[in-house]
Amino acid sequence: MTVGSQLTIGFGVVIAATVVTGAVAIGALYRTVVEKDEIARDFAEDLARVENLRYRAEQVVATSRAHPDRAEQANAAFQASWKAVKAESSSELRDLGLVESAWRDYLEAVRAAVATGDDGEVPQARAALERRLDVLVDDERRDWAAAFARSRASARKAGLEVLVTTGVGLLASLVLASVLRRRLDEQFRRKEDAVRARDEVLAVVSHDLRNPLSTILLVSQLAARQSADREAVGKFERIRAAAVRMNRLIDDLIEAARVESGGLTLRTRSCDVTPLINATLRLFEEQAAEKSVKLESELPEKAHAVVDPERLGRVLTNLFGNALKFTPPGGRITVRAIPEASFLSVSVSDSGPGMNPEQLPHLFEKHWQARREGSGLGLGLYIVKSLVEAHGGSISVESAPGAGATFTFRLPASA
C-alpha cells in the first residue's frame, strides 16, 4: 500500500470517528433537550388541570354556602374538570380516586344540609376535600420534581457519552497518527536510502562511464577517418553510433534524476530559437541520410522565446531522435515554429506508423514506451514534458494508426 493510500485511509478513519462522535454528542444533547421540554410541558398542563379542578371544587363550596340549590350546577362543572384530569394527565395521579371520594362525601353532606337544614357535617367534609386537593397538587409537584431529576440524570449520562465517544475518537486519531507517522518515517528513510544509492550510481555513470565512452568516440572517429577499408570504416561507425547512443542514455538518466529530486535549474533568457532548432536538426542529418529519411523545417526568420538554450536543445534532441527512430526509410520528419501572441509553438511531425488513441495518455509517463519496436529506457518523452513545463510551457501529441505522430510544445514568447 502506498503512502498516499495510507494517508487517505487514515484521514478517512479520523473523519469517520469525528462524524460518529459528533453524531452521538448531538443525539444525546437533543434527547436531553426534548425530554426536558416534554417534562416541562406535561407538568404545566397537568398542574393547570389540577388547579382548575381545585378551582371548580372551591366554586362548588362557595356556591353551596350561599346558594345550596345551585350546588348541583357547580357539581357538573367540577365533574367535567375531574374527567379532564383523569383522561388527559400525562402522569398517574395516585390520589385522584381519593379526591373523587372526598368530593362525593362533601356533595352528600351538602345535599343532606339542604334537605334537613343541619349543616354540621358540611365543614368537616369540606376540609377533607380541600386536604385531598392539596395532596393531589403536592403529589403532582413531587412527580414533576422526580421526572426533572431523571432528566438531569439523563443529561449527565449524555454528557458522559459525549466524553467517552470524544475520548475514543481522539485516542483512535492519536493511535492512527502514530502508526502513520512511523510508516511515513519508514517510507522516508527508504526513499532517502534509494536516493542516496541512485546518486552514487549516477556519480559512477556520469564520471566513470563517460570517460571511457569519450575515448571510444574519439578512437572510433579517428580510425574511421584513417582507414581505407570500407568494411572496417562501417564497423568503426557502428561503434561510434553505439557510443553516442550510450551517451544519450546517460544524459537521460542524469536529467530524469534532476527532475525527480527537484534539482533541475534553468538558466533562461530571451533568445532567437530558430538557429538553435536548425543546429539541432543538423545533428541528425547523417543518421537521417543513412535511413533515407528526409528532414524538413518550416521556420520563421526569427522566433524569440524565453528559454534555457541547453535544455531546449535537449527537448529538440529527444523529439528528433524519437521521430527518426520510428520513421521508416523513405519517410520524412518536419519541424515547424509558429510565433503566437504570448507563446512560441514548436511542432515535430513524423511519417511513422502512428499510435492507438488509448496509448496517447501514457506517452509522457516515466519508463513507458508506446511503440515497442523501439528500445531505450522510456525516459525521453518524460524528460521532454518535464523540461517544457519547467519553462512554464505545455506539450501535446496528435497521432493515429498509420498517420504518424506530431508533438507540439509551447514556450513563453519574448519581444
Side-chain angles (χ1 to χ4, degrees), residues 1-17 172 176-177 180 183:
M1 184 181 296
T2 64
V3 176
S5 299
Q6 294 176 8
L7 287 173
T8 301
I9 294 174
F11 283 124
V13 172
V14 171
I15 292 173
L176 181 61
L180 286 176
R183 289 185 176 274

Side-chain angles (χ1 to χ4, degrees), residues 136-204:
L136 181 64
V137 173
D138 292 341
D139 285 347
E140 180 64 15
R141 288 174 175 169
R142 279 195 298 271
D143 289 344
W144 176 83
F148 198 74
R150 290 194 299 271
S151 178
R152 286 199 300 270
S154 178
R156 288 194 294 270
K157 182 180 178 182
L160 182 60
E161 289 177 356
V162 171
L163 289 176
V164 170
T165 52
T166 303
V168 170
L170 290 175
L171 181 61
S173 300
L174 291 174
V175 171
L176 181 61
S178 177
V179 171
L180 286 176
R181 181 179 178 181
R182 287 199 299 270
R183 289 185 176 274
L184 288 174
D185 288 343
E186 183 180 353
Q187 293 279 355
F188 184 73
R189 284 195 298 270
R190 289 179 180 176
K191 186 175 181 179
E192 279 189 327
D193 294 341
V195 170
R196 192 179 300 109
R198 183 196 63 192
D199 290 343
E200 292 174 356
V201 171
L202 289 177
V204 173

Side-chain angles (χ1 to χ4, degrees), residues 276-337:
L276 179 58
I277 296 175
N278 284 325
T280 308
L281 191 61
R282 283 194 293 271
L283 296 176
F284 292 87
E285 287 179 347
E286 185 176 347
Q287 298 178 51
E290 291 176 356
K291 288 187 66 175
S292 299
V293 173
K294 187 177 181 180
L295 300 180
E296 298 178 342
S297 63
E298 299 176 9
L299 305 174
E301 184 177 350
K302 290 185 177 181
H304 288 88
V306 180
V307 298
D308 180 332
E310 180 182 349
R311 277 357 193 295
L312 178 58
R314 164 53 62 83
V315 170
L316 294 169
T317 297
N318 282 0
L319 290 179
F320 289 154
N322 192 68
L324 186 58
K325 183 191 303 182
F326 297 107
T327 301
R332 68 178 58 202
I333 297 172
T334 305
V335 56
R336 298 179 177 87

